[in-house]
Amino acid sequence: MHTQIQILPVTGIGDIRPGDDLGRLIYDALKQQQLTLQQGDVLIITQKIVSKAEGRLVHLDDIEPSPFALQYAQRYQKDAQHVEVVLRESKRIVRMDHGVMICESHHGFICANAGVDESNIGGERVLALLPEDSDRSARQVRQRMQELTGEGEHLDFAVIISDTWGRPWRNGQVNMAIGVAGMEPVTDYRGQNDPYGYELRASMIGVADELAAAAELVMGKVDRIPVALIRGYTYKTGQGSGRDLIRESATDMFR
Amino acid sequence: MHTQIQILPVTGIGDIRPGDDLGRLIYDALKQQQLTLQQGDVLIITQKIVSKAEGRLVHLDDIEPSPFALQYAQRYQKDAQHVEVVLRESKRIVRMDHGVMICESHHGFICANAGVDESNIGGERVLALLPEDSDRSARQVRQRMQELTGEGEHLDFAVIISDTWGRPWRNGQVNMAIGVAGMEPVTDYRGQNDPYGYELRASMIGVADELAAAAELVMGKVDRIPVALIRGYTYKTGQGSGRDLIRESATDMFR
């Protein structure tokens, strides 16, 4: 029998400040909601509160824009200091047109503005950068929460750090997984047979991205719901990484 | 208070044959599971059973491959008749490399092989094409089910036809929405303020794609779960179309 999956918003997580103990805050918020973390749960956390807790914030007034940033900003009526931050977070510019910068971040993620974001920061002229290592962030929250439950490693659940990105060819941004702990983010059906005995050739499913997308449905942009809990999904446990979701350049035709 | 969202697999839908009444089959399957369609439900249906019911099947032996299909197939050890079907379903080839064809289908969807698929068909050398008009397919199933409940248009629920596609830059395919009825597939937060009063500039969320992605979590590739029901999500009702999710070429840097 196939069980249902539940997507639960985790409410009551207030403003996050650099140095905050995110694991503790989420643990307390769950408790407040009378939710107890269970074996097999998946906790999805938006990048923004992770970046805030880790102090990954940049004050634009501290930034000296390069000549390149200055001329690009002038051409598209943008903030040169903001452009400079995006450039510094980028390993490579994938496309730069119509005033849009699609960048490859130092982590290898390809997205607009290298993931540098300016909404929901709560300060003027402050930008949030992506976490330095979102897998590490996911692992830290996971370990901290395992500790707080008193069950330690016996409580096997997964953590996903997510961000909301646009895509080529399609309108609308969707939530995606950038950091992972406790699960394999890609399910590989290759070699298995479909119900008709046909061997599935090219079926690798980006389940962590699908979990992140599902979580966004309870988060919303204008609500204060930075965390969601997904219960009832059977993922493959393991030491997966958000990097498993990054396509190798050799097989990528759109770099 | 934010309510939880449930993702429910719809089981017991057997083999689909051309001419089958999909609305009736899904209605009966829900009933069998003691599920009653409710106001605000979202029903996600995989493209494959829609294509089958609509007879969108091609027998490879009936296909005469063109010289172009023949030489390409030879070069990459592919089936020339299969290649020919993909070419016929394509308006344009976006990329053609490493033996992979990324095509723009006649509908405007950009995906591998113009959405032509060979798994889960249950016949040798038979391919399924995308539905001719997935919005129409969604509308038809919706109307049929409204009729069967006896409530007609008073029962306002949404239908999404989905398919599983790969993406540039990221590993793993994810489920996406190709046809929509009864809802707006993109939520527009532009002009609204975030909790800090910052006006959200670029927040259009592809919620129908997120709903499709969420549904895949109960479907799986090797299970026979071609339909999922999502309950508890507040979508924007309307006459949206799967085409709303297709980015205009003018703002697309990866065509």
Side-chain angles (χ1 to χ4, degrees), chain B residues 9-240:
Chain B
V10 180
T11 56
I13 295 171
D15 272 344
I16 301 294
R17 263 173 272 268
D20 275 353
D21 179 350
L22 218 48
R24 155 69 71 186
L25 290 170
I26 297 170
Y27 178 82
D28 288 347
L30 285 172
K31 217 170 178 180
Q32 203 73 34
Q33 259 178 284
Q34 268 129 34
L35 280 170
T36 313
L37 213 48
Q38 292 175 7
Q39 197 83 0
D41 279 349
V42 184
L43 210 55
I44 294 94
I45 309 172
T46 50
Q47 160 271 134
K48 193 144 316 154
I49 65 165
V50 177
S51 295
K52 278 183 183 177
E54 295 180 354
R56 296 277 293 159
L57 301 174
V58 171
H59 295 263
L60 282 176
D61 296 337
D62 299 341
I63 301 292
E64 182 78 49
S66 64
F68 181 59
L70 279 167
Q71 60 91 354
Y72 178 78
Q74 191 171 25
R75 187 167 157 210
Y76 289 105
Q77 282 94 58
K78 295 196 177 283
D79 182 312
Q81 285 158 311
H82 188 161
V83 172
E84 179 63 26
V85 173
V86 171
L87 291 173
R88 291 184 194 183
E89 291 302 302
S90 300
K91 187 198 289 186
R92 189 169 66 91
I93 310 290
V94 180
R95 292 285 192 289
M96 196 166 188
D97 211 349
H98 312 292
V100 174
M101 279 193 281
I102 309 293
C103 310
E104 181 174 347
S105 75
H106 293 296
H107 327 81
F109 297 121
I110 299 179
C111 59
N113 300 321
V116 174
D117 204 350
E118 55 180 323
S119 64
N120 282 314
I121 307 301
E124 293 281 309
R125 302 195 42 76
V126 173
L127 300 181
L129 314 179
L130 291 183
E132 231 170 53
D133 178 345
S134 296
D135 286 329
R136 187 182 63 203
S137 310
R139 275 197 306 273
Q140 282 170 351
V141 169
R142 183 168 181 266
Q143 277 165 13
R144 180 68 174 125
M145 293 183 73
Q146 282 176 328
E147 196 182 292
L148 289 166
T149 61
E151 295 187 56
E153 286 173 29
H154 295 294
L155 183 63
D156 207 349
F157 69 102
V159 173
I160 292 172
I161 312 293
S162 73
D163 200 3
T164 313
W165 292 343
R167 305 140 319 148
W169 316 326
R170 292 181 76 73
N171 282 324
Q173 300 172 302
V174 296
N175 217 25
M176 303 194 191
I178 62 171
V180 164
M183 71 174 289
E184 295 297 343
V186 179
T187 300
D188 192 346
Y189 292 102
R190 289 174 305 177
Q192 291 188 56
N193 291 332
D194 75 12
Y196 302 98
Y198 178 91
E199 190 183 324
L200 293 163
R201 270 195 221 158
S203 284
M204 311 257 292
I205 305 292
V207 292
D209 279 340
E210 293 186 326
L211 288 160
E216 202 283 325
L217 297 170
V218 299
M219 289 172 166
K221 277 277 163 216
V222 288
D223 306 329
R224 277 177 194 260
I225 313 283
V227 180
L229 181 70
I230 295 187
R231 178 161 287 171
Y233 177 68
T234 310
Y235 57 83
K236 195 172 170 216
T237 58
Q239 301 299 319

Side-chain angles (χ1 to χ4, degrees), chain A residues 1-9 11 14-16 33 52 94-98 100-102 108-111 118-123 164-178 186 189 192-196 198-207 209-214 216-225 230 233 242-255, chain B residues 1-9 11 14-16 33 52 94-98 100-102 108-111 118-123 164-178 186 189 192-196 198-207 209-214 216-225 230 233 242-255:
Chain A
M1 184 54 202
H2 295 269
T3 45
Q4 62 160 81
I5 293 173
Q6 293 169 289
I7 318 170
L8 304 151
T11 55
D15 272 344
I16 301 294
Q33 259 178 282
K52 278 184 183 176
V94 180
R95 293 284 193 288
M96 196 166 188
D97 211 350
H98 312 292
V100 174
M101 279 193 280
I102 309 293
F109 297 121
I110 299 179
C111 58
E118 56 180 323
S119 63
N120 282 314
I121 307 301
T164 314
W165 293 343
R167 305 139 320 149
W169 317 326
R170 293 181 76 73
N171 283 323
Q173 300 172 301
V174 296
N175 216 25
M176 303 196 191
I178 62 171
V186 178
Y189 292 102
Q192 290 189 57
N193 291 332
D194 75 12
Y196 302 99
Y198 178 90
E199 190 183 321
L200 293 164
R201 270 196 222 157
S203 284
M204 310 258 291
I205 304 292
V207 293
D209 280 339
E210 293 186 326
L211 287 160
E216 202 283 325
L217 297 170
V218 298
M219 288 171 166
K221 276 277 164 217
V222 286
D223 305 329
R224 277 179 196 257
I225 312 283
I230 296 188
Y233 176 68
R243 277 183 291 272
D244 300 341
L245 287 159
I246 301 177
R247 204 184 265 270
E248 279 188 35
S249 48
T251 68
D252 198 326
M253 295 184 275
F254 298 92
R255 299 177 75 91
Chain B
M1 184 54 200
H2 295 269
T3 45
Q4 63 160 83
I5 294 174
Q6 293 168 289
I7 317 171
L8 303 151
T11 56
D15 272 344
I16 301 294
Q33 259 178 284
K52 278 183 183 177
V94 180
R95 292 285 192 289
M96 196 166 188
D97 211 349
H98 312 292
V100 174
M101 279 193 281
I102 309 293
F109 297 121
I110 299 179
C111 59
E118 55 180 323
S119 64
N120 282 314
I121 307 301
T164 313
W165 292 343
R167 305 140 319 148
W169 316 326
R170 292 181 76 73
N171 282 324
Q173 300 172 302
V174 296
N175 217 25
M176 303 194 191
I178 62 171
V186 179
Y189 292 102
Q192 291 188 56
N193 291 332
D194 75 12
Y196 302 98
Y198 178 91
E199 190 183 324
L200 293 163
R201 270 195 221 158
S203 284
M204 311 257 292
I205 305 292
V207 292
D209 279 340
E210 293 186 326
L211 288 160
E216 202 283 325
L217 297 170
V218 299
M219 289 172 166
K221 277 277 163 216
V222 288
D223 306 329
R224 277 177 194 260
I225 313 283
I230 295 187
Y233 177 68
R243 277 182 291 273
D244 300 340
L245 287 159
I246 301 177
R247 202 184 265 271
E248 279 188 35
S249 48
T251 68
D252 198 327
M253 295 184 274
F254 297 92
R255 299 177 75 90

